[in-house]
Amino acid sequence: THEVRNPLSSIGLNTELLEDELTEVPNADEARGLCRSIHREVDRLTAITEDYLAFARLPKPKLAPEPINPIVTALADFVREDLAGKKVELATELAAEHLIGDIDAAQIRQCLINLVRNASEAVGAKGGGHVRLRTRRDGDRAAIDVEDDGIGIAPDMLPRLFDPFVSTKEGGNGLGLALTQEIVREHGGTLDVTSSLGKGTTFTLRVPFHTT
């Protein structure tokens, strides 16, 4: 990954410089467009290398008793406007019970961001719809559901969905869900999925309760 990052950075920088030079050249719209295309692909590859590094260097979670509902509420407030711009309506359904999990709040928030992003993309592929975040007690665990009414996942993909480098999206690198599941496992939790093709998908993240 390090061997790839440095040349990518150089390519990106030189492409920007070349595009700047072309602003003074008449009839160079096509060339400038090609520079922009190169830069977009460099950005995409750079993002992939960052995902590889995150997967390889996943830190151990720093567990502490954290209330679940405020994490979900803050996340929903953070992404709601962005999702609305994509015709995705976000709702929350919070448990009345005060759920306290033994978690690394930052890592669980990142997991939820990944799941909400996937859900919004699945809904966006249908032209719009709904994503719901739900918290609840599930035995001795706190559960968070990320539910969407998007395009769903083909049954043959479900058993491989969390495998590294397997993706349901064109151009996806297949590391987002693998990384999310690994984070949840490091918490002593589980990440499960149910889906109906054409109707929607629900990911359920479960983490242990904090016990005194």
Side-chain angles (χ1 to χ4, degrees):
T1 298
H2 285 294
E3 290 298 320
V4 170
R5 289 171 81 189
N6 291 335
L8 278 178
S9 178
S10 177
I11 292 169
L13 176 60
N14 282 288
T15 303
E16 286 184 351
L17 293 173
L18 180 58
E19 187 177 356
D20 289 341
E21 292 288 334
L22 288 170
T23 59
E24 305 297 327
V25 178
N27 303 318
D29 290 346
E30 183 178 358
R32 288 194 293 272
L34 289 172
C35 285
R36 288 192 290 273
S37 296
I38 292 169
H39 208 273
R40 281 195 300 271
E41 290 305 306
V42 167
D43 287 345
R44 186 176 69 84
L45 290 171
T46 300
I48 291 173
T49 63
E50 294 300 326
D51 286 342
Y52 287 165
L53 282 178
F55 192 70
R57 295 176 172 176
L58 181 64
K60 291 289 184 182
K62 298 176 181 178
L63 302 180
E66 297 280 358
I68 300 297
N69 283 353
I71 293 173
V72 172
T73 299
L75 173 66
D77 290 343
F78 178 69
V79 301
R80 183 174 279 111
E81 186 174 344
D82 181 54
L83 265 59
K86 301 172 183 175
K87 299 181 180 179
V88 179
E89 183 179 336
L90 179 66
T92 58
E93 185 180 313
L94 304 179
E97 183 179 355
H98 192 49
L99 304 177
I100 303 290
D102 266 328
I103 61 172
D104 183 318
Q107 288 193 2
I108 292 300
R109 183 178 185 277
Q110 184 59 51
C111 289
L112 293 175
I113 287 175
N114 290 344
L115 295 175
V116 169
R117 183 186 297 124
N118 284 348
S120 68
E121 289 174 354
V123 169
K126 289 181 72 171
H130 304 83
V131 173
R132 182 178 301 275
L133 292 171
R134 181 187 300 108
T135 63
R136 56 190 173 86
R137 184 184 185 108
D138 188 357
D140 62 350
R141 307 214 162 182
I144 306 171
D145 299 320
V146 181
E147 178 184 284
D148 70 66
D149 58 3
I151 57 176
I153 301 168
D156 63 316
M157 282 296 301
L158 288 174
R160 302 185 293 126
L161 198 61
F162 299 110
D163 292 349
F165 314 116
V166 173
S167 177
T168 61
K169 296 177 289 187
E170 184 177 351
N173 59 41
L175 281 177
L177 285 176
L179 181 61
T180 299
Q181 186 186 57
E182 188 62 24
I183 290 172
V184 176
R185 281 178 174 171
E186 288 291 326
H187 280 72
T190 59
L191 180 62
D192 300 300
V193 59
T194 59
S195 188
S196 179
L197 197 59
K199 295 182 178 180
T201 301
T202 300
F203 285 91
T204 299
L205 185 160
R206 297 178 180 87
V207 292
F209 274 126
H210 172 68
T211 54
T212 55

